[in-house]
Amino acid sequence: MTSTREMTGKPTLIKEVNIGLIKDALARMGQATRVELSRKTGISQPTVNVLMKELTEKGEVLSLGNANSTGGRRAEVYTLNGKRYHIVSVIVRQDALEYCIFDLQLQKEVQRKITREDKISYTDQLVSLLREIIRKTPDVRAVCVGVPGAVSDYGEVFAIPQIPEWEQFALQSYLEEECALQVKVINDINAIAMGYLTSEMLTISFRQEDGSRHPVRNLIYLHIEGTGLGAGIIIDGKLYSGCRSFAGEVGFMQIGEESMEQLLMGADDVQRAGVLSKVLINMICVLNPEKVVLGGNVDISLVSAIQKQCSACLPDGVAPDFAMLPDSGEQYFMGLGQTGLGLLDHQVRLN
């Protein structure tokens, strides 16, 4: 026998699913009429009419007026209200905190850099900064924080030697309690990978062998800082972090009896290119990405040498496109913004 509570919950759940589908369709289409939204989502016309009225009254959707007539009654055109709420993205570095405020269309409105204060903890300074931002921008609805360490699915930080006070610290839940907002804590390399993918989807398409163009869906971002290595892995448009958030820690990969980071110690430019090529060849063989992006301490000669060695060791047509990203600041913020945007999409998704 079905409980009363379960029965009364179903209409609410269906409504949330439908609202999520409508918002997703509007985000993808930019603007649309109610008829177009019904066709795009598969939701009945009467239901779309009711939900659009509600979303418009709440200010989550804006009317752009009537479309040009094609002979019949002119239909009203709608778009998402990108200024309805805001997202805060914070990059935590060893010597500074940088933050950016995005609208719902990932348009940057404010960007600031705050020097690290040695007299107080990272935690206290971060909480103080977030409270001040929220006070000045009360329509903030989500916060995404990037850290130079590994992060579990539940927001516990580990393997973070630059900030020892956060080792094994449940930073995400702590910030949610202190700020009373939805919060996501994410590894810096993963955020950059997501940001690069987001930028690609907005501006660049990948050309397939048949000449058609499609957004990149499979990507490896390899970040190089001295002997330190880390990778952000995107599979089918989604970040892959593994069962314990260890995916991408390629510095621990072994060749013989040494790790990649050990092999990079004292290596000259030629040896360095050789080590990094081996890392990427192995990753390409497993993941077969469309694109590899090299970031951090890189230059064009290193990227060219790695691309050449990878192409020489792989079958024809298998080697991915290569790109260089020596300054990843914008992609880092974009990845955090995109992740924060996902926090606001609290409706049930079907994909």
Side-chain angles (χ1 to χ4, degrees), residues 240-311:
Y240 178 76
S241 56
C243 66
R244 292 182 176 85
S245 303
F246 194 70
E249 297 294 337
V250 295
F252 290 90
M253 288 176 66
Q254 300 283 305
I255 292 182
E257 297 181 356
E258 294 183 287
S259 70
M260 292 298 170
E261 291 187 353
Q262 289 172 327
L263 289 170
L264 286 172
M265 292 181 183
D268 59 27
D269 290 346
V270 175
Q271 293 169 329
R272 190 163 172 254
V275 171
L276 296 172
S277 297
K278 289 177 181 178
V279 172
L280 285 171
I281 289 167
N282 289 335
M283 295 186 75
I284 291 166
C285 288
V286 174
L287 301 172
N288 191 207
E290 296 147 287
K291 196 165 192 175
V292 168
V293 182
L294 299 175
N297 185 18
V298 297
D299 57 35
I300 189 63
S301 61
L302 177 65
V303 175
S304 297
I306 292 172
Q307 183 174 12
K308 183 176 180 180
Q309 291 187 45
C310 288
S311 297

Side-chain angles (χ1 to χ4, degrees), residues 176-295:
E176 285 179 335
E177 183 175 346
E178 291 295 315
C179 300
L181 286 174
Q182 296 185 86
V183 177
K184 181 70 175 177
V185 179
I186 183 173
N187 165 263
D188 52 358
I189 307 304
N190 287 340
I192 295 169
M194 281 300 301
Y196 190 94
L197 180 73
T198 301
S199 298
E200 283 268 308
M201 294 182 71
L202 291 173
T203 61
I204 303 173
S205 293
F206 179 76
R207 184 175 292 280
Q208 302 291 315
E209 290 183 0
D210 63 1
S212 62
R213 297 181 72 85
H214 302 284
V216 171
R217 301 287 294 174
N218 301 281
L219 172 77
I220 294 172
Y221 171 68
L222 184 66
H223 192 84
I224 307 155
E225 288 291 343
T227 62
L229 287 179
I233 301 169
I234 306 292
I235 298 176
D236 195 25
K238 298 178 181 179
L239 181 68
Y240 178 76
S241 56
C243 66
R244 292 182 176 85
S245 303
F246 194 70
E249 297 294 337
V250 295
F252 290 90
M253 288 176 66
Q254 300 283 305
I255 292 182
E257 297 181 356
E258 294 183 287
S259 70
M260 292 298 170
E261 291 187 353
Q262 289 172 327
L263 289 170
L264 286 172
M265 292 181 183
D268 59 27
D269 290 346
V270 175
Q271 293 169 329
R272 190 163 172 254
V275 171
L276 296 172
S277 297
K278 289 177 181 178
V279 172
L280 285 171
I281 289 167
N282 289 335
M283 295 186 75
I284 291 166
C285 288
V286 174
L287 301 172
N288 191 207
E290 296 147 287
K291 196 165 192 175
V292 168
V293 182
L294 299 175

Side-chain angles (χ1 to χ4, degrees), residues 36 39 101 183-184 220 263 295 333 336:
E36 290 170 336
R39 292 171 181 167
I101 300 177
V183 177
K184 181 70 175 177
I220 294 172
L263 289 170
F333 271 130
L336 294 175

Side-chain angles (χ1 to χ4, degrees), residues 87-152:
I87 301 161
V88 176
S89 300
V90 182
I91 295 175
V92 180
R93 304 191 191 278
Q94 193 170 21
D95 60 349
L97 304 178
E98 299 179 53
Y99 74 89
C100 180
I101 300 177
F102 287 104
D103 66 16
L104 298 185
Q105 296 175 329
L106 293 184
Q107 296 297 310
K108 190 184 299 182
E109 296 191 354
V110 177
Q111 183 172 341
R112 298 283 188 275
K113 182 175 182 179
I114 310 298
T115 303
R116 167 79 183 117
E117 297 181 20
D118 295 331
K119 294 181 179 180
I120 64 175
S121 68
Y122 281 89
T123 306
D124 289 344
Q125 186 172 1
L126 177 57
V127 170
S128 177
L129 173 63
L130 289 174
R131 286 176 175 170
E132 180 65 13
I133 293 171
I134 294 166
R135 184 185 69 81
K136 293 181 177 179
T137 313
D139 60 357
V140 167
R141 290 295 181 270
V143 174
C144 193
V145 179
V147 299
V151 184
S152 74

